[in-house]
Amino acid sequence: MKINPVILNFGLTTFSIVSSLIISTSEYAQAETDVYVDENCNYVSNSAIGNLPEEPWFYFNEIVYSRKFIVDGNTYWLYVANYGDGSRQFCVSKPDFVDAKFINASEINSQFIEFIEQDGNNSPIFRVQVREGQNVNIPFIDYRLDLSNPYQPVTTFIRRGCCTGGI
């Protein structure tokens, strides 16, 4: 059976258009699930990001880690966002980004983070491992981030070691 080249070309063109619509639709749907904050840890809606003249990471940072914790019966959020270079921005707020604050702790903020681990369900204590660079097999430092007083966090050195896997 011989296929007419005009029909084949039309079929391929239609497939190409439909494929690109599916791909762009799925990429947009993924972008809607991303959550961004500004440099002061305030939530930025996806509709605001969609109206920007530049890509969102130029203005805002995507949240890559978030955990709920409880202090004196009150619920708070720790959330961590990516800076453009891969370092992290640490934030704390009440639910729904109410009273959002940047955690001013130079030991962990603007650093390359290997992992963050909460010390039990809803605990205000976190272990944060900082990589001392972006390569593989590099030294790390473990810190304890105590959010028992959420807006006055305490960061404590735990240990220094070698070596992380890096990225």
Side-chain angles (χ1 to χ4, degrees):
M1 177 171 144
K2 192 172 182 182
I3 299 176
N4 184 332
V6 173
I7 293 173
L8 179 62
N9 191 27
F10 175 77
L12 291 174
T13 302
T14 304
F15 176 77
S16 176
I17 291 170
V18 170
S19 297
S20 64
L21 286 173
I22 291 170
I23 290 169
S24 64
T25 302
S26 64
E27 285 176 354
Y28 181 73
Q30 177 63 38
E32 284 186 354
T33 63
D34 297 338
V35 179
Y36 292 87
V37 293
D38 64 15
E39 69 275 359
N40 296 315
C41 299
N42 296 307
Y43 170 76
V44 180
S45 71
N46 284 324
S47 61
I49 288 173
N51 293 326
L52 293 174
E54 304 263 347
E55 297 293 335
W57 53 83
F58 183 79
Y59 295 102
F60 304 110
N61 304 315
E62 180 184 352
I63 294 177
V64 295
Y65 177 90
S66 63
R67 291 293 181 274
K68 173 180 89 167
F69 64 97
I70 297 175
V71 174
D72 296 330
N74 297 309
T75 300
Y76 296 90
W77 292 349
L78 167 69
Y79 49 102
V80 180
N82 257 350
Y83 285 124
D85 66 355
S87 63
R88 304 288 198 248
Q89 169 187 357
F90 282 74
C91 304
V92 66
S93 75
K94 293 178 182 169
D96 298 321
F97 301 96
V98 173
D99 293 330
K101 301 284 187 239
F102 177 78
I103 295 177
N104 194 12
S106 61
E107 301 90 349
I108 58 174
N109 248 316
S110 300
Q111 302 296 329
F112 300 107
I113 304 302
E114 184 69 15
F115 67 82
I116 305 164
E117 184 176 82
Q118 191 171 18
D119 189 34
N121 234 4
N122 299 323
S123 171
I125 308 298
F126 296 83
R127 181 175 153 222
V128 179
Q129 187 171 86
V130 175
R131 285 185 282 123
E132 293 188 294
Q134 290 182 297
N135 295 320
V136 295
N137 295 326
I138 53 173
F140 64 85
I141 303 173
D142 285 340
Y143 291 100
R144 179 179 190 252
L145 174 61
D146 184 347
L147 295 171
S148 296
N149 187 344
Y151 296 113
Q152 294 181 343
V154 175
T155 306
T156 307
F157 172 84
I158 297 174
R159 72 182 178 119
R160 172 174 260 129
C162 188
C163 291
T164 67
I167 57 173

